[in-house]
Every structure is written in C-alpha cells, then in structure tokens.
Amino acid sequence: GQNIDQPTEMTATEGAIVQINCTYQTSGFNGLFWYQQHAGEAPTFLSYNVLDGLEEKGRFSSFLSRSKGYSYLLLKELQMKDSASYLCAVLFNTNAGKSTFGDGTTLTVKP
Amino acid sequence: GAVVSQHPSRVICKSGTSVKIECRSLDFQATTMFWYRQFPKKSLMLMATSNEGSKATYEQGVEKDKFLINHASLTLSTLTVTSAHPEDSSFYICSAQQHGEQFFGPGTRLTVL
C-alpha cells in the first residue's frame, strides 16, 4: 500500500525544539506536504518538499530523503500556540493527483 | 495564497433531512476539488474528487447516492448529504487544487440529531 507513518502523539516544552518524523512508501513518490491543524479547524499549509534536503521557513523546517522514504518537520523555539496536529501528506503519481494523508501527530507544548 | 471558503461553517439538522455544503475557490479557478471527512482525533479521509463539468470520483466505500457532489463551475463544488443520519455527523472539509498544492476550506461541522 501507500502507508504514511508518523507518531501519534508528542510532547515538548515551550522554547524547545521538536522533530516530527514521517515515513512513506517510496514507489511513485511525487512530493510531500506538511500541514498544521488546530482542533476544529481545517489544515493549513506549512511546507512542500519534492527534492532531497532541508527547506527552512522561519521557525519551521522540513527535510526530505526520497531514497529513504523519510521526512521530518522541525519546529524551533516552540510556542504554546504550536500545540496542534501535524499532518504529513504524500503525492503519489499513481493516485491521480490526490494526496494520501497520514493520521497526524498531535503535539502538545507545555510551559 | 489561494483562499477557499466553505458554507455553512456549522449546521445542525434533524435525521432524514438533506444538507448542502458549498465549497468555493475565491481567487482562483479549480478544475479539481476534494471532499474529506474527519472524525475526532483522526486524519482526513478522502471521500471523493470533484471534477468540473464531469462526474465526481468516489473513494471505495463512499456511497454515491448518499453524498451527492456537483462541480458546476470552476469556483464552486457542492456536497449534499442526503437523508442524513446521526452517524453522518462529522467535520467535512473541502480543498481546491492549484498547481498540485491543496488549499483547504475552513470546514463544516455537521451534527445530525
């Protein structure tokens, strides 16, 4: 299948750094998205990786290794408002342009 | 970035009634829109792909006659939940695709009594 795996829950301290991992099946890979979703709201776009390497956007960075089928989202200088669910979504060229979503990682930031 | 709206944001209805949810791309044209359903603490479950000017493509296990999708224009797709029942209560989210990226609407919370 096209399983997208990410941890279910993570907890971190305000001001710290946290890394959320995502692994996926490499066959047919076309790109990987990270979204942030607060409870009761729709997802918001964070990043899109299609080539290997690290993409940095302020406090958030996303890394991709296509050969390993692995990505991570790195959140620095954590703030309480970063408590949310983080969704990894992969575009496969076998899926007619549809993204396949992981179950999401619920991040809780504590003071 | 591109903006997608959904209406209504919240709806409560009686069992047996039908509910229509609208999804609009406000500043771009979208030939493809997606409809998702999300249960509490779960990820997005794709229900169907809405294609402008043609029939929607439904995912396995999603009843076509239950969830009617109409994509009448390049900026509007509608999802109608017909004869709604309490088990249809959920968070419904649409997205519109532009250049491979999905832009999500704010979601519609449906509660069926």
Side-chain angles (χ1 to χ4, degrees):
Chain A
Q2 296 173 330
N3 291 339
I4 315 292
D5 293 315
Q6 41 181 141
T8 305
E9 293 179 332
M10 297 184 73
T11 303
T13 306
E14 193 175 14
I17 299 174
V18 70
Q19 178 175 311
I20 303 174
N21 297 326
C22 173
T23 59
Y24 60 89
Q25 176 193 303
T26 57
S27 176
F29 175 83
N30 247 5
L32 186 144
F33 296 92
W34 282 99
Y35 294 91
Q36 180 191 61
Q37 185 178 26
H38 285 98
E41 299 179 12
T44 56
F45 170 83
L46 291 178
S47 66
Y48 175 55
N49 292 69
V50 64
L51 299 176
D52 290 347
L54 186 69
E55 300 259 351
E56 297 188 67
K57 269 188 191 180
R59 293 190 299 114
F60 292 9
S61 303
S62 57
F63 171 83
L64 177 68
S65 169
R66 289 173 296 172
S67 61
K68 294 182 180 178
Y70 168 67
S71 172
Y72 67 72
L73 180 69
L74 192 71
L75 292 76
K76 303 176 187 176
E77 301 169 18
L78 281 173
Q79 302 175 9
M80 299 299 289
K81 67 178 183 180
D82 297 330
S83 293
S85 183
Y86 291 86
L87 307 176
C88 171
V90 179
L91 259 179
F92 292 101
N93 59 24
T94 52
N95 208 17
K98 297 178 285 190
S99 292
T100 302
F101 283 82
D103 282 343
T105 299
T106 300
L107 173 66
T108 302
V109 180
K110 296 186 173 179
Chain B
V3 179
V4 176
S5 70
Q6 261 183 261
H7 178 80
S9 58
R10 189 180 294 268
V11 58
I12 300 172
C13 68
K14 292 182 179 179
S15 187
T17 60
S18 294
V19 175
K20 180 186 282 188
I21 303 170
E22 293 185 347
C23 177
R24 293 182 186 273
S25 55
L26 297 185
D27 51 1
F28 68 103
Q29 294 181 330
T31 55
T32 303
M33 292 184 174
F34 300 100
W35 285 98
Y36 295 87
R37 184 173 180 177
Q38 188 174 34
F39 294 101
K41 297 186 178 181
K42 291 292 184 182
S43 191
L44 304 173
M45 182 190 80
L46 181 65
M47 298 174 65
T49 303
S50 174
N51 304 298
E52 189 269 336
S54 64
K55 291 182 179 179
T57 305
Y58 289 82
E59 296 300 300
Q60 194 172 9
V62 178
E63 299 175 58
K64 300 178 183 180
D65 296 331
K66 174 76 173 175
F67 300 99
L68 299 178
I69 291 173
N70 186 298
H71 196 151
S73 76
L74 287 170
T75 59
L76 173 64
S77 175
T78 61
L79 168 69
T80 301
V81 183
T82 62
S83 187
H85 290 284
E87 58 265 28
D88 298 325
S89 298
S90 191
F91 193 48
Y92 292 87
I93 304 175
C94 74
S95 72
Q97 186 165 277
Q98 186 185 46
H99 307 310
E101 184 177 342
Q102 288 191 58
F103 298 92
F104 289 89
T108 297
R109 173 76 57 192
L110 171 64
T111 302
V112 184
L113 303 176

